[in-house]
Amino acid sequence: VCFLLILNAILLGVRVDIEASRGRSAVPAALTICETLLCVTFVLEVALRVIAYGRAFFSMRGWKWNTVDISLIVLQVLEETLSNAFEDEQDAFVNNNYSAVRIIRMLRLVRVVRLVRILRHISELRTLVLSIMNSVKALTWTLIILFLIIYMFSLYLTQL
């Protein structure tokens, strides 16, 4: 599953690059098929886990990750469904309802969040991420001080 999550993130990056450089219509069909197969695989994986654990799936150790997985998979299925539904009407859809296209793109990005699940298996990476998360407050204050210093010098130098 870990390999499939990484493959999913790589394919998402390739898709975004192709759409940004050549437009949405230039995305190869093979890429779309691979993304759909990965979506089906993730749905089957969670379905098998729900069947295997039964009710305990939502109360056992790691139940929060299970809930996150189900939520992300539902969003991925929604994104695949919306993308396929509006694939034929792409130009009219983009011109008339740009906010809906943004929603579809945001749903694509949510797929990468599943990579966070890998963190619990790699202790060094988890330690590094937790260290970064714990230093965010100090980083914020450092950036504020840096901004104030730059601002003060810009005012001073403009007055010369």
Side-chain angles (χ1 to χ4, degrees), residues 52-134:
Y53 292 113
R55 290 184 196 172
F57 183 77
F58 295 105
S59 60
M60 63 189 225
R61 183 174 174 255
W63 68 270
K64 293 177 183 176
W65 285 111
N66 294 338
T67 306
V68 169
D69 279 346
I70 287 178
S71 302
L72 292 175
I73 288 171
V74 166
L75 289 174
Q76 184 175 359
V77 169
L78 179 66
E79 182 259 323
E80 288 288 334
T81 304
L82 290 175
S83 293
N84 291 333
F86 294 112
E87 190 173 284
D88 298 332
E89 305 168 8
Q90 175 203 345
D91 295 330
F93 181 64
V94 169
N95 292 333
N96 293 331
N97 200 351
Y98 191 69
S99 62
V101 173
R102 281 190 197 158
I103 291 171
I104 291 173
R105 288 182 182 160
M106 291 305 292
L107 288 175
R108 271 192 205 132
L109 293 178
V110 170
R111 285 191 279 175
V112 178
V113 173
R114 285 197 80 201
L115 284 175
V116 173
R117 192 173 121 181
I118 296 172
L119 292 179
R120 66 180 171 165
H121 299 296
I122 305 171
S123 62
E124 295 86 7
L125 185 58
R126 181 176 50 209
T127 303
L128 182 64
V129 170
L130 288 175
S131 299
I132 291 171
M133 295 294 285
N134 290 333

Side-chain angles (χ1 to χ4, degrees), residues 9-37:
I10 291 170
L11 289 177
L12 178 63
V14 169
R15 181 185 204 54
V16 168
D17 182 55
I18 290 172
E19 285 181 359
S21 61
R22 294 182 239 154
R24 184 174 176 175
S25 59
V27 175
L31 185 63
T32 305
I33 291 170
C34 287
E35 288 178 341
T36 304
L37 288 175

